[in-house]
Amino acid sequence: MSAPAPTTTASPAAPTPKAAKGPKVKEEKPKAAAPAAAEGGDSKLTPKQLKEQKKLEKQARRAADKAVPAAPVKPDTDSIKKGKQQQQKPTGASGAQRKGPGPTEKHAQSNASAVNAPPAGQLTAAQLSEAAKDIPLFRHLENPEKRITVGNSHKDVHPAILALGLQMASFAICGSSARCVATLLAFKRVIEDYITPAHTTLARNLSSHHLSPQIEHLRDSRPMSISMRNAIRWLKLEISTMSIDLPEATAKTILLDKIDNYIREKITIADQGIVATAVEKIVDGDVIVTFAKSSIVQMVLIEAYRKGIKFRVVVVDSRPLLEGKQMCKTLAEQGISCTYTLIHALSYVIRDATKVYLGAHAMLSNGRLYSRVGTAAVAMYAKEFEVPVIVCCESIKFTDRVGLDSIVNNELGSPDELINISTSRNQPNSGNLVKWRDVPNLRLLNIMYDVTPAENITLVITEYGSLPPSSVPVVHRLSTNQ
């Protein structure tokens, strides 16, 4: 009988101080569960740590749903009910301000999720979370499978922006210049439908409050191009410098006219100047190699053919976008002699080339070219065979950023695009990688861009003329100050 005696005396010892100190009953109860709550990470954690913990618990629950449970585990419902009762006890102002589950309920919920989540070591390949398929070296880049959709967009996003976001995410609108023009035209519709709220002005409200959710939605749909960033920066500056005394209708008309002038000067007229300069470099008998699809390079080749210059074009393409097929089709319809090949035959076709014409997604401040992945390989082979590399790029694509590799700044495409082994996106052939997510230790990387060193570039043609890659920051300053 001596053994149960300590047990009988120990149990009432704990509630004795609670009964003596009534107001501290609610404080003592979380303290008693402090060690357990610390294990779950709900006690004394920063908001960032709590967010990370919830993310891990969500991944564990998803993995548990995919797994076949050995036996159902019933959560501690008594603790949850007890926590709800304690949460509903306070009345008055303090009770009305209190929201969310109490400490006991949090503890019970964390325990239930921890019990239901299977150990990580026991997960099969089919139960691996999406995070397990991420490549650590590119984990800092945005996951394309987690981009925003129409269903979870902001309530203030304009329908034109919603449609544009879908078109960009599905690559229906592709190319830096095309995306920039489409963005500015969508912003024109946003400005046309904008109504200035009371007690404020258009210059103060339009940029900071109304355009911000539109820009955020485009950024979440797909990472912005350099030309889009430069155009949005210019538009914000124009809005901020408008006089607050202007009537709303007049201010909107001025903004719409400025957007039209910006598109005409920075893209339309700039392309005409680049075409006029680049055509002069093409002579009879040239064999021009180009990669993927560039709208400005396509314009150069068509204009050279219209002037009667006899040359031949080799379009080098790569999966998964296969943009060069459309460019080759357009050139052939114009009557230009074209050869289409994939990038694996680059070392063969580059031997007969006399010039290489490349488009650009952006020109970096250190003279490097940021363009579709595969461009760096084309420029490297061209330098090896002493073929001049000419880049056609508008100044709106210049940036003050410096890039040394393709890792720090890049864009990830969907890895599921790589399982199509067909040469057509409309008639895919999944091949042997259709179940690649179930294969352990197999990861697919679909990066969109690469960086070409400045020493592999012979010439950069802009609307300001021909210049070496080292003069890119100078032209960028000139175009920005205008």
Side-chain angles (χ1 to χ4, degrees):
M1 298 300 292
S2 58
T7 309
T8 309
T9 55
S11 55
T16 304
K18 295 181 183 178
K21 299 179 180 180
K24 291 186 179 180
V25 174
K26 300 173 187 176
E27 299 178 359
E28 291 295 334
K29 208 160 191 177
K31 288 182 180 179
E39 294 178 1
D42 293 333
S43 177
K44 297 182 180 179
L45 295 178
T46 63
K48 183 178 180 181
Q49 291 173 336
L50 288 173
K51 185 176 181 180
E52 292 293 333
Q53 179 194 356
K54 292 179 180 179
K55 184 178 179 180
L56 294 175
E57 291 178 356
K58 186 176 181 180
Q59 292 177 356
R61 288 195 298 270
R62 286 181 177 176
D65 293 339
K66 294 180 181 180
V68 179
V73 181
K74 184 178 180 180
D76 190 2
T77 55
D78 296 337
S79 302
I80 298 177
K81 290 180 180 179
K82 194 172 182 180
K84 288 183 178 179
Q85 291 175 359
Q86 290 184 355
Q87 180 185 354
Q88 295 172 358
K89 276 185 179 181
T91 56
S94 60
Q97 294 176 358
R98 183 177 177 182
K99 296 180 179 179
T104 308
E105 185 179 353
K106 279 186 177 181
H107 175 50
Q109 291 175 350
S110 62
N111 284 345
S113 60
V115 171
N116 290 330
Q122 298 180 5
L123 294 179
T124 62
Q127 299 166 2
L128 291 174
S129 61
E130 292 297 332
K133 289 297 184 180
D134 292 342
I135 298 178
L137 189 61
F138 295 91
R139 193 167 289 169
H140 62 284
L141 301 177
E142 180 186 355
N143 190 341
E145 298 178 357
K146 297 180 180 179
R147 288 173 184 167
I148 194 170
T149 59
V150 177
N152 55 1
S153 59
H154 194 276
K155 61 182 181 65
D156 294 333
V157 177
H158 194 275
I161 301 297
L162 291 175
L164 179 60
L166 289 175
Q167 291 173 328
M168 289 186 178
S170 61
F171 293 91
I173 297 180
C174 195
S176 181
S177 298
R179 293 169 63 189
C180 179
V181 172
T183 300
L184 290 175
L185 294 179
F187 281 153
K188 283 185 62 177
R189 296 184 58 184
V190 173
I191 295 174
E192 289 173 354
D193 298 339
Y194 170 77
I195 299 177
T196 306
H199 310 295
T200 185
T201 60
L202 181 142
R204 296 176 180 176
N205 182 266
L206 177 59
S207 177
S208 59
H209 293 80
H210 193 66
L211 287 185
S212 294
Q214 324 295 332
I215 298 171
E216 194 69 26
H217 180 81
L218 292 178
R219 185 184 297 114
D220 293 338
S221 299
R222 187 187 169 190
M224 289 189 176
S225 63
I226 297 298
S227 57
M228 290 173 62
R229 294 176 185 272
N230 291 337
I232 291 174
R233 190 180 299 112
W234 164 84
L235 181 59
K236 285 185 174 181
L237 180 62
E238 292 294 331
I239 294 174
S240 62
T241 55
M242 295 194 68
S243 174
I244 61 175
D245 298 328
L246 286 175
E248 179 180 334
T250 304
K252 290 165 65 174
T253 303
I254 293 175
L255 280 177
L256 297 179
D257 292 340
K258 286 185 175 181
I259 291 176
D260 290 335
N261 292 334
Y262 186 86
I263 295 174
R264 182 169 57 253
E265 294 176 3
K266 293 294 184 179
I267 297 180
T268 306
I269 297 180
D271 288 347
Q272 295 174 359
I274 293 173
V275 168
T277 305
V279 167
E280 298 175 355
K281 309 294 181 182
I282 304 176
V283 297
D284 289 337
D286 270 344
V287 178
I288 299 175
V289 172
T290 184
F291 179 71
K293 179 185 178 182
S294 171
S295 58
I296 183 64
V297 173
Q298 180 176 299
M299 293 167 61
V300 170
L301 298 177
I302 293 176
E303 182 63 23
Y305 179 77
R306 289 175 179 174
K307 288 191 173 183
I309 304 175
K310 298 179 180 180
F311 60 95
R312 184 164 60 91
V313 178
V314 178
V315 179
V316 181
D317 205 1
S318 66
R319 295 191 303 118
L321 294 180
L322 299 172
E323 299 172 287
K325 294 183 68 175
Q326 182 61 39
M327 181 174 179
C328 187
K329 179 181 178 181
T330 303
L331 295 178
E333 290 175 350
Q334 296 291 328
I336 302 175
S337 176
C338 297
T339 302
Y340 178 84
T341 182
L342 295 180
I343 196 170
H344 59 261
L346 175 61
S347 60
Y348 174 77
V349 299
I350 200 69
R351 302 173 188 270
D352 299 330
T354 57
K355 293 181 181 67
V356 174
Y357 273 73
L358 298 175
H361 181 83
M363 286 298 300
L364 305 178
S365 184
N366 55 349
R368 299 199 171 198
L369 170 63
Y370 183 75
S371 189
R372 182 72 69 219
V373 60
T375 305
V378 175
M380 181 183 66
Y381 271 98
K383 183 182 180 183
E384 182 68 21
F385 287 91
E386 298 181 352
V387 179
V389 177
I390 301 174
V391 177
C392 301
C393 181
E394 303 90 338
S395 62
I396 193 177
K397 299 179 183 178
F398 287 12
T399 177
D400 54 1
R401 293 184 178 182
V402 174
L404 301 177
D405 51 48
S406 308
I407 300 174
V408 178
N409 293 314
N410 212 317
E411 179 183 348
L412 291 180
S414 174
D416 292 326
E417 293 281 344
L418 296 179
I419 68 177
N420 179 21
I421 62 176
S422 172
T423 56
S424 174
R425 299 189 70 193
N426 299 326
Q427 299 176 353
N429 182 7
S430 299
N432 296 327
L433 291 178
V434 63
K435 296 182 179 180
W436 70 274
R437 296 182 185 274
D438 299 336
V439 181
N441 301 323
L442 175 60
R443 298 177 176 89
L444 299 184
L445 175 63
N446 183 15
I447 57 174
M448 303 296 296
Y449 303 100
D450 61 14
V451 176
T452 303
E455 54 267 21
N456 293 348
I457 300 174
T458 307
L459 198 65
V460 179
I461 299 180
T462 71
E463 63 267 32
Y464 296 98
S466 304
L467 49 96
S470 57
S471 300
V472 168
V474 179
V475 175
H476 178 60
R477 285 195 297 268
L478 289 175
S479 60
T480 305
N481 294 334
Q482 287 182 355

